[in-house]
Amino acid sequence: MSIRIDGKATAAQIRAEIKEKVDLLKKDGFKTPHLAAVLIGSDGGSQSYVGGKMRACTEVGFESTLIEKDNSITETELLEIVDQLNHNPEIDGYIVQLPLPKHISEQKILEAISPDKDVDGFHPVNMGKMVAGIDCFKPATPFGILELLRRYEIETTGKHCVVIGRSHIVGTPLSIMLSRNSYPGNCTVTLTHSRTKNLETLTKMADILIVALGQPGFVTDDMVKENAVIIDVGTTRVNDDSRERGWRLSGDVDYKNVKNKASYITPVPGGVGPMTIASLMINTLQAAKGKRP
Ligand code: GUN
């Protein structure tokens, strides 16, 4: 029998902890932390993520600002918004929700965000600091996964961790953070991707398997070792006519069958997703505190 890692409850606990800290800040006369989000276009997934981020701000006592623009925005116009946010003293941190429309260079936008306000941790300065082990804003999804491992007291030292997917948002930073000499960390990490040969041989060797691929049900029970820890980062909308809204979220892991082999496993929804938002709240509080005299 596996233990279901409850990201929803853990994230709620983290939000309650943040709220206590924010209440104290306010009591001591400090400014209320303020997160802004820039959302371009009308992608349903992005809208619901950003909506969740804004709701979490209200819950922990932050101020929040949502800037919504349609897909016709030019790169220059978006760079102007980024510049205004960089110079707005009211805003402690902000995010530009990805993906952006094809005609806008994500790299250009991410590089224009002030590293001090980059609560997503995607700016090359923060990425570089993360690689060098210097204090910085850590990317929210990897940070959230490490927090789940910590709070469930899952042993990581000396374990073989296999990560599927090498994105800049999840797989690449996670592989670095898990190989670091700390807890959670000290793993031997194998970072796999679309060109990896004999993937199944590798996944069967994993003590900890982290899947961030975006392919529903990709990992089946014959691909995992008995008692492995399974972390599913996938959140793909798949058609589901039995639901009124016509879709449901699907992870990258065949949960129903894999759970019988795993020691710990995250569900989708209610696993990694809520932790990403909780980590963003932690980073925003850090950004606000960093500005205190
Ligand atoms: N798109 C998917 N995940 C993320 C995230 O963590 N931050 C931003 N800005 N966009 C995303």
Side-chain angles (χ1 to χ4, degrees):
M1 262 305 282
S2 60
I3 294 175
R4 180 177 171 276
I5 298 181
D6 191 341
K8 194 173 167 199
T10 309
Q13 171 68 30
I14 292 172
R15 291 196 301 275
E17 291 164 11
I18 295 173
K19 182 161 189 337
E20 267 182 36
K21 290 180 185 155
V22 173
D23 287 346
L24 279 179
L25 272 186
K26 290 180 185 171
K27 208 167 120 231
D28 291 342
F30 289 105
K31 171 185 167 303
T32 301
H34 191 158
L35 174 75
V38 182
L39 174 62
I40 309 296
S42 54
D43 174 73
S46 291
Q47 281 177 332
S48 73
Y49 282 135
V50 171
K53 289 170 187 180
M54 298 291 99
R55 280 194 299 281
C57 283
T58 308
E59 192 184 328
V60 301
F62 291 172
E63 301 233 24
S64 64
T65 296
L66 173 59
I67 301 169
E68 282 182 281
K69 299 285 171 192
D70 65 39
N71 265 323
S72 63
I73 190 170
T74 64
E75 190 175 270
T76 308
E77 286 166 340
L78 183 52
L79 284 168
E80 272 164 27
I81 292 173
V82 165
D83 189 56
Q84 280 162 13
L85 289 167
N86 285 343
H87 291 99
N88 183 345
E90 284 302 311
I91 304 293
D92 297 297
Y94 67 97
I95 62 152
V96 177
Q97 186 67 23
L98 305 177
L100 290 172
K102 293 268 179 293
H103 64 277
I104 297 178
S105 157
E106 279 186 5
Q107 199 52 40
K108 233 186 207 173
I109 301 300
L110 295 180
E111 283 186 30
I113 295 174
S114 166
D116 295 343
K117 294 191 175 187
D118 169 39
V119 283
D120 256 333
F122 294 164
H123 189 283
V125 165
N126 283 317
M127 282 280 190
K129 283 185 174 177
M130 190 268 295
V131 173
I134 299 167
D135 194 34
C136 63
F137 296 120
K138 297 173 193 77
T141 302
F143 187 13
I145 292 170
L146 261 63
E147 204 52 34
L148 282 178
L149 295 172
R150 183 200 313 280
R151 290 186 184 232
Y152 276 82
E153 298 179 359
I154 293 171
E155 184 57 82
T156 59
T157 299
K159 300 293 180 190
H160 183 196
C161 177
V162 174
V163 180
I164 307 183
R166 59 180 157 186
S167 74
H168 287 160
I169 296 181
V170 185
T172 296
L174 192 58
S175 67
I176 294 161
M177 289 159 82
L178 278 170
S179 57
R180 173 155 311 136
N181 182 4
S182 62
Y183 178 77
N186 279 313
C187 288
T188 303
V189 180
T190 302
L191 179 58
T192 70
H193 44 77
S194 54
R195 307 292 175 94
T196 297
K197 295 206 170 88
N198 303 322
L199 180 65
E200 207 172 310
T201 311
L202 293 166
T203 59
K204 276 185 186 152
M205 288 163 63
D207 301 308
I208 302 172
L209 180 62
I210 303 181
V211 198
L213 196 62
Q215 284 189 33
F218 179 85
V219 170
T220 48
D221 58 348
D222 52 334
M223 291 170 72
V224 307
K225 186 164 91 168
E226 268 314 319
N227 293 323
V229 175
I230 310 289
I231 309 287
D232 188 352
V233 189
T235 47
T236 307
R237 284 185 177 192
V238 296
N239 291 337
D240 185 345
D241 292 335
S242 70
R243 313 265 173 119
E244 204 177 310
R245 63 188 179 190
W247 57 270
R248 67 185 155 80
L249 279 186
S250 173
D252 290 344
V253 174
D254 173 16
Y255 183 88
K256 208 165 71 130
N257 293 310
V258 173
K259 79 173 190 320
N260 300 323
K261 263 178 129 174
S263 55
Y264 292 84
I265 184 164
T266 61
V268 176
V272 173
M275 292 299 291
T276 298
I277 299 182
S279 304
L280 181 66
M281 300 298 111
I282 295 174
N283 283 349
T284 304
L285 182 59
Q286 187 189 330
K289 282 185 162 175
K291 293 218 193 67
R292 278 165 53 171

